Amino acid sequence: MNTKPLLFVLASAMALAVYAADAPKIDEKRIDLVIEQYEATGGTVAPEQKAEIQKQILRDMQRTEVLKNAALQAGLDKQPEVQLAYQNFEAQFYASQYFEYLKKSVTVSEDELRQIYARLGREIKVQMAAFNTEEEVQAAQEKLRKGMSFSDLIASLPDQPASPSDFISTQMLPPEFATVLDTIEKGKITDNAVKFQNMLYLLKITDVQKGKKVPSFEQVRDRIETQRKDELVREKVDKLFADHGLAE
């Protein structure tokens, strides 16, 4: 009896079985990174659950790798539309990574945090005049230089937004307004127009008072730091856009 064909079939079956059972290998650091990113967003992983969670992440990654490899074997990476979609994804991915890089690289001194905190206790009354173009802003500024009051200026302009009638913390205003208003005093008008939602605004602080309920510095320190870092990141990104002729 010729046993060679049978042995060949058995060997082939064993080879296929081994191949089928050979799940893709995943670097453990990738699994650790997923957990670190989850915890960075406020999630918690109980020590007694960590092993099971790692196992599930590993399984999900292995399945993803199997699908990726199947896509490559099918030649999807050679298809023009897939390549374009990948380029779009790659650009979005690195853009988001650059934002995270900037967030980690910017720093705010303790003195600056306390200066910002000091402004938290300040409540203001503010008037605002809205314009569509820079030319309209310049015309309004010329009227103010000639002695027109800010209230009369607003009354002379069509379709103006209602200014807040009560005292308000600048923290309750859009960041674009708050950043500027925190730097000027009672009776002053912003030197330059503030851009917000495709409109330009001149702002004036008409009154100031000390806030009645101000949390302690320790209670709001982290929030102040996060907001200030976000502002610094936004400034860096805006400058980068401007350097490439993409300023809004």
Side-chain angles (χ1 to χ4, degrees), residues 44-52 54:
T44 56
V45 176
E48 64 273 16
Q49 296 177 331
K50 189 170 182 177
E52 184 61 32
Q54 288 173 321

Side-chain angles (χ1 to χ4, degrees), residues 80-98:
E81 64 273 20
V82 174
Q83 292 175 346
L84 292 173
Y86 182 77
Q87 289 171 18
N88 291 339
F89 168 80
E90 183 181 43
Q92 290 290 341
F93 173 77
Y94 279 109
S96 65
Q97 291 300 302
Y98 186 64

Side-chain angles (χ1 to χ4, degrees), residues 48-64:
E48 64 273 16
Q49 296 177 331
K50 189 170 182 177
E52 184 61 32
I53 291 173
Q54 288 173 321
K55 182 178 178 181
Q56 183 59 53
I57 295 172
L58 172 62
R59 184 175 178 80
D60 290 343
M61 285 185 169
Q62 287 174 325
R63 288 181 169 183
T64 300

